[in-house]
Amino acid sequence: MIRVRSKVVLLVAPHVVGLEVLPNNKVFKHISTTTAIFPSLHDIKPNLIILDYDYLVNDIEKILRRLSTNAAYKNIKICCYKNKWHSKVDPFLKTLGVDHIFYAEDMKEEATRKSVFEAIGNVIMDGTFFSLLKPVH
């Protein structure tokens, strides 16, 4: 689950998956066509753009170069979502201006971590944990 804490967010992906839109997001726009990226940038003026690398793999370099060379886009944070880490692609994306890369494994690990913490919380709230802490007389 990606938690986005930006006021205006543009998501470029075929569908919204694993993204939690927080209440402080004033504008959240999802587009699925590459031709709508730059008109949407001018329309909503986002603080953050999230790109699905696997969906945009053929156009990602062109998009990132255009974002990095135009001074009008210099304040936009760029994030990419990828299925897995790659030793040559990821550093290249960082060089092209990507601020953060999210991986599918991170989403799974966070879900597992969350379920572990929920289980611990349930044990604590159940009272079995506190009964173990009672002093023995």
Side-chain angles (χ1 to χ4, degrees), residues 52-70:
D52 185 340
Y53 175 81
D54 299 317
Y55 177 66
L56 300 169
V57 70
N58 295 328
D59 298 319
I60 194 88
E61 183 178 354
K62 181 176 71 171
I63 293 166
L64 290 173
R65 287 188 187 277
R66 186 169 173 188
L67 287 169
S68 65
T69 57
N70 191 334

Side-chain angles (χ1 to χ4, degrees), residues 101-114:
I101 301 174
F102 301 104
Y103 301 101
E105 303 105 37
D106 295 341
M107 307 284 186
K108 292 175 189 171
E109 287 175 9
E110 184 174 324
T112 304
R113 216 178 4 223
K114 188 175 181 181

Side-chain angles (χ1 to χ4, degrees), residues 6 43 55 73 87 110:
S6 186
D43 183 35
Y55 177 66
Y73 307 132
S87 62
E110 184 174 324

Side-chain angles (χ1 to χ4, degrees), residues 9-115:
V9 180
L10 176 65
L11 173 67
V12 184
H15 49 278
V16 180
V17 175
L19 184 68
E20 182 179 336
V21 181
L22 298 176
N24 64 343
N25 296 111
K26 293 184 179 169
V27 177
F28 180 84
K29 185 172 184 177
H30 169 249
I31 58 171
S32 59
T33 59
T34 58
T35 57
I37 294 173
F38 292 97
S40 296
L41 287 174
H42 290 285
D43 183 35
I44 65 170
K45 297 177 180 33
N47 306 43
L48 176 72
I49 182 171
I50 302 172
L51 305 170
D52 185 340
Y53 175 81
D54 299 317
Y55 177 66
L56 300 169
V57 70
N58 295 328
D59 298 319
I60 194 88
E61 183 178 354
K62 181 176 71 171
I63 293 166
L64 290 173
R65 287 188 187 277
R66 186 169 173 188
L67 287 169
S68 65
T69 57
N70 191 334
Y73 307 132
K74 70 178 180 179
N75 293 327
I76 299 174
K77 297 286 183 195
I78 303 169
C79 297
C80 272
Y81 173 78
K82 291 183 66 191
N83 282 330
K84 59 183 178 179
W85 183 82
H86 191 275
S87 62
K88 292 183 181 179
V89 174
D90 293 0
F92 182 63
L93 290 174
K94 292 282 190 172
T95 302
L96 290 175
V98 174
D99 297 303
H100 190 71
I101 301 174
F102 301 104
Y103 301 101
E105 303 105 37
D106 295 341
M107 307 284 186
K108 292 175 189 171
E109 287 175 9
E110 184 174 324
T112 304
R113 216 178 4 223
K114 188 175 181 181
S115 64

